[in-house]
Structure formats: structure tokens, C-alpha cells
Amino acid sequence: MSNDIITQWLNLPQVFVNNIDIVGNTTIIYLAREGSKFVCSVCKRTVEQGYDSRTQYIRDLSCFEYNTYLCLDKFRIYCPCCGVRVEELGFARVFSHCTKRFEDYIAKLCSILPVSQVASLTGLDWKTVKEIDKRYLTEKFSCPDYSSLNILAIDEISYKSGHKYLTIVLDLSKTKVVWVGQGRSKATLDKFFCEIGEGNAKNICAIATDMWDPYLASISQNAPQAKVVFDKFHVIAEYSKMIDRIRNEEYSIASESGKKVIAGSRYLLLTNEQNLGKSQKERLKELLDVNETISTAYILKDELKMLWQCGSRKEAYSFLVDWVGKAIASGNKDLCKFSKKLMHYSYGLINHAIYPINSAKLEGVNNKIKVIKRRSYGFHDLNYFILKIKQGFP
Ligand SMILES: [Zn+2]
């Protein structure tokens, strides 16, 4: 095949194919350049004279079964504006050893595969793969559009043990992550509102979130018109933690036979009954028969879930008052404490009747972020993890 055809096939500006070599499973395409003009990588000015040069191998898309490298002399030039600088090649970033199209391919692979698999598929080092993907994503998310924010969800996730959190803002109408910030304080969320600007903040009509005062303080300061909604997913998750506390307390005061029934029952209490197997259901029934406090907390959990089915705020409020009455009547201190909290935040619980935010969606997002965390946080690169979260919900 003539070099002219391969030059045409390569489709790269200002270079032509001089020679081709095959070494093992690698194809090396030797390139020469047309003319003697260079581009300064800093000011983009065209420069006539090279300063010095070095032979460089640049990885390109594979050719059949061969890893393919382009080999050419890369110049440093003397730019009248910037001094001695590296030249810019139109088809590769200044300090990269890969062509732009190969990097785009790597980034596409990284959107569907873990970095380690992309590294083994392409024969690149995982650090190189990660850096390529990170650069691609940084560029992709560099100009966010906040103009159509309307219904949001604000959530926190822990990214490291020792109370390291990220605040995640989700556009619920598009299920898109619009912003991620470090921490979960009022100042963290204030940064989000500062970034979107007052005009966009005014368009927000509802925000689903946790009963977490720092967020609530920031919302009431920056988007006072937005109705706060405490969604089922977050409230029930908190209730489940309380059931687990009750279970531990009951275990510590139980008789030997009671301890046997309570031991190892965490999963039974926290899983929806319809997802339990036959023998698990039997064990759960035995536990609920034996321990009245656990049984009451368990039954009240199912009842509480009905709160989010109320069709009006009035109906929701009277349901809540009724439920709280039952919880307090149990006499259990954890249930009483939880009830007080629900009454304190009742405004956001009953707002669900006017903004019925999809709790399954929030739970799905939360689970997906956990998967992304497992995949990408192994690199201990928080910024990369944040970019991968944004990519997960485009
Ligand atoms: Zn220059």
C-alpha cells in the first residue's frame, strides 16, 4: 500500500507518512512534516524556525490487531513572544504521548468500564488512563448550565471514614447531578447558591433533602421561596438506624433465650418483608412475638411509610399527629425522640403532598453513587470521584 494512501487514511494535519514498521504487536508509522512552520503552544502564533527537536512516539488508535504509534520529530521553537517553547501539534495535546482521538476513545471506554479494565485492554498504565479520563471530564463539566433548575434534591454522601462528606445537588426533573461540594455544612451549600447566582436560585420551587439544619439554614437564606420536602427515603433510612439502636438496647437487657432470638436479626428488621425468604420470615415473626418494643418499632415503620401517600398537606398533618401519638404511647425513649423530631420538621414532611418527590429515584441515585465510589475512589483522587459522579448522571 502506498504511503500516500496511508497518509490520507491517517487524516492528520501537516504530516505525511514516510515509512511503516511492524515490531511484535506494534505498528510504528514514521511521519514527516509538510513545510517548516510551527505553532507556539503558548500563544498559538506561527513560527518559522525550530530551536531543537526530539524523536517522539505518540500512541494513536489501534490498527487491526496492532497497537499503533506515530513517530515524529517534535520541536521546541523560538517564539518572539514567549521565548523557547514546545511546538503545538494539532492532533495531540502539548505534553501528551497520545493523539487526541486516542484520548477520546480512552475516555469513552472509561464511561462504561473501570479504569483498571481500560488499562488492561489498551496496554496503558492505569495512572495514564485515569489522567486522560479526568482531563476529558474536567473539560466536559467546565461550563455547567444552571438556568433551568426547578426541583432539586440535596444529599450528602460520606467519601471517607472519619466524617468526610460531599454534598450532592441533583436536578430532579432530569435526574442530573448539577453540583458537588466538599463538606456538608451551611457554608458548603452556600457555595452552591453563590455559584448559580440569585436569579437562578429564585426559580427553584422545591428541594428534597434530609432533616439536616445546616442545609435548611442555607436554603432559607438563599432560596426562601423554595418548599423544603423531607422525602421518604431519607426519613425511613434514619428510622431504620433508630430500629437498629433499639435492637441493640433490647439485646443488652434480654434474657439468654431472648438474646438468641435477637442476635443476627439486623437484616430481617431492615429489609422489606416481601424481600425475605420463607425461613427469614419465620425468624422475623418469632422475633416480633418475643420482643414487644422491637415489634412496636417495626409496625410503626410500616405505618409511617403511609405518610407519603397522603394527598393533601392537611391529611398528611393529621396522619403525622396520629402516628406521633402512637409512637409516644409506646413509652420507648428512642421512638419519643424520633417523634419529636418529626413534629419539629412537620412542615417539610407534609410538603410532600404538594411536591410528591420520587423517593425510589433518590434511593437509586444514592445506590448508583455508592457503585461509582467503589469503582473510582480507590484512586484517592477526590476531584476524579466528583467528576465520575457528574458523569454518572449526565
Ligand atoms: Zn508564543
Side-chain angles (χ1 to χ4, degrees):
M1 195 185 295
S2 87
N3 289 344
D4 284 352
I5 289 179
I6 300 171
T7 299
Q8 212 178 331
W9 217 2
L10 265 185
N11 193 26
L12 298 176
Q14 272 126 34
V15 287
F16 61 89
V17 175
N18 233 347
N19 195 10
I20 297 176
D21 208 358
I22 292 172
V23 184
N25 66 344
T26 301
T27 301
I28 303 169
I29 302 177
Y30 294 91
L31 300 177
R33 60 184 76 224
E34 288 164 354
S36 59
K37 284 188 177 149
F38 308 96
V39 174
C40 169
S41 59
V42 179
C43 68
K44 316 299 175 198
R45 176 190 296 259
T46 302
V47 178
E48 299 282 340
Q49 284 293 311
Y51 180 80
D52 58 6
S53 72
R54 213 168 63 170
T55 302
Q56 205 175 61
Y57 291 85
I58 298 174
R59 179 81 184 263
D60 201 353
L61 293 168
S62 295
C63 202
F64 309 113
E65 289 173 35
Y66 299 89
N67 290 338
T68 301
Y69 288 84
L70 310 176
C71 175
L72 82 167
D73 288 334
K74 194 168 175 186
F75 281 79
R76 285 198 302 167
I77 43 126
Y78 183 80
C79 171
C81 250
C82 317
V84 177
R85 298 288 164 176
V86 181
E87 71 163 322
E88 173 149 332
L89 297 167
F91 51 86
R93 289 167 199 274
V94 178
F95 293 107
S96 174
H97 292 276
C98 300
T99 59
K100 285 178 186 168
R101 62 189 176 196
F102 184 65
E103 291 191 346
D104 287 349
Y105 172 67
I106 294 291
K108 271 189 199 127
L109 286 178
C110 286
S111 71
I112 48 171
L113 293 172
V115 166
S116 57
Q117 283 187 27
V118 177
S120 93
L121 269 175
T122 56
L124 289 176
D125 178 75
W126 70 264
K127 283 182 194 152
T128 309
V129 172
K130 192 203 88 175
E131 285 311 315
I132 289 172
D133 191 33
K134 187 176 171 182
R135 197 162 50 212
Y136 172 86
L137 294 174
T138 304
E139 223 165 79
K140 183 173 174 181
F141 296 111
S142 61
C143 297
D145 175 18
Y146 298 124
S147 63
S148 58
L149 301 180
N150 183 232
I151 297 182
L152 304 181
I154 298 170
D155 207 353
E156 57 171 53
I157 56 147
S158 124
Y159 67 88
K160 210 175 181 183
S161 55
H163 302 289
K164 297 275 191 188
Y165 292 94
L166 292 179
T167 293
I168 297 184
V169 181
L170 198 72
D171 179 343
L172 268 182
S173 43
K174 296 177 188 156
T175 320
K176 176 182 168 154
V177 169
V178 286
W179 191 85
V180 181
Q182 228 176 317
R184 55 165 181 171
S185 64
K186 175 177 178 292
T188 307
L189 197 54
D190 285 347
K191 270 188 215 155
F192 162 70
F193 284 113
C194 176
E195 198 173 315
I196 67 171
E198 252 178 67
N200 288 321
K202 276 185 188 148
N203 294 332
I204 301 169
C205 57
I207 302 178
T209 185
D210 238 339
M211 297 177 286
W212 178 242
D213 289 334
Y215 287 167
L216 300 175
S218 179
I219 292 168
S220 76
Q221 182 187 315
N222 297 293
Q225 80 292 345
K227 290 270 183 277
V228 169
V229 180
F230 300 124
D231 59 276
K232 186 165 113 186
F233 168 62
H234 283 108
V235 177
I236 295 299
E238 206 171 321
Y239 192 91
S240 295
K241 278 184 199 157
M242 182 202 65
I243 288 194
D244 206 35
R245 271 200 305 280
I246 292 178
R247 193 185 72 92
N248 285 331
E249 285 156 13
E250 289 298 305
Y251 180 85
S252 67
I253 56 169
S255 64
E256 277 309 308
S257 61
K259 276 191 166 66
K260 268 187 195 155
V261 181
I262 299 172
S265 62
R266 188 170 184 271
Y267 178 80
L268 303 175
L269 288 169
L270 302 185
T271 307
N272 280 335
E273 203 184 337
Q274 65 262 32
N275 296 335
L276 295 176
K278 193 169 169 253
S279 66
Q280 289 173 318
K281 277 182 187 161
E282 279 164 12
R283 276 195 61 205
L284 176 66
K285 188 175 178 304
E286 190 190 358
L287 170 66
L288 299 180
D289 284 345
V290 163
N291 191 296
E292 201 189 329
T293 311
I294 295 179
S295 172
T296 305
Y298 187 81
I299 292 165
L300 282 172
K301 178 180 169 181
D302 274 343
E303 278 189 25
L304 182 60
K305 286 179 184 169
M306 313 274 280
L307 172 65
W308 289 272
Q309 285 173 20
C310 293
S312 72
R313 293 213 291 181
K314 198 175 162 205
E315 189 193 336
Y317 189 75
S318 70
F319 181 96
L320 184 64
V321 169
D322 190 43
W323 186 92
V324 163
K326 285 186 220 166
I328 290 175
S330 75
N332 178 274
K333 68 172 175 32
D334 292 292
L335 272 166
C336 289
K337 203 173 150 196
F338 196 83
S339 300
K340 273 187 197 152
K341 188 169 179 179
L342 290 190
M343 283 315 288
H344 178 71
Y345 293 105
S346 60
Y347 63 95
L349 292 163
I350 64 174
N351 276 346
H352 184 269
I354 36 173
Y355 288 105
I357 279 157
N358 185 340
S359 211
K361 204 187 230 184
L362 289 179
E363 189 175 0
V365 167
N366 206 284
N367 289 336
K368 195 169 172 187
I369 290 177
K370 281 182 194 156
V371 174
I372 295 170
K373 179 175 155 185
R374 276 202 296 278
R375 264 191 182 190
S376 58
Y377 201 65
F379 306 116
H380 302 289
D381 182 337
L382 185 59
N383 291 328
Y384 184 55
F385 176 42
I386 290 173
L387 288 165
K388 292 306 269 185
I389 293 175
K390 288 181 180 172
Q391 185 183 35
F393 306 91

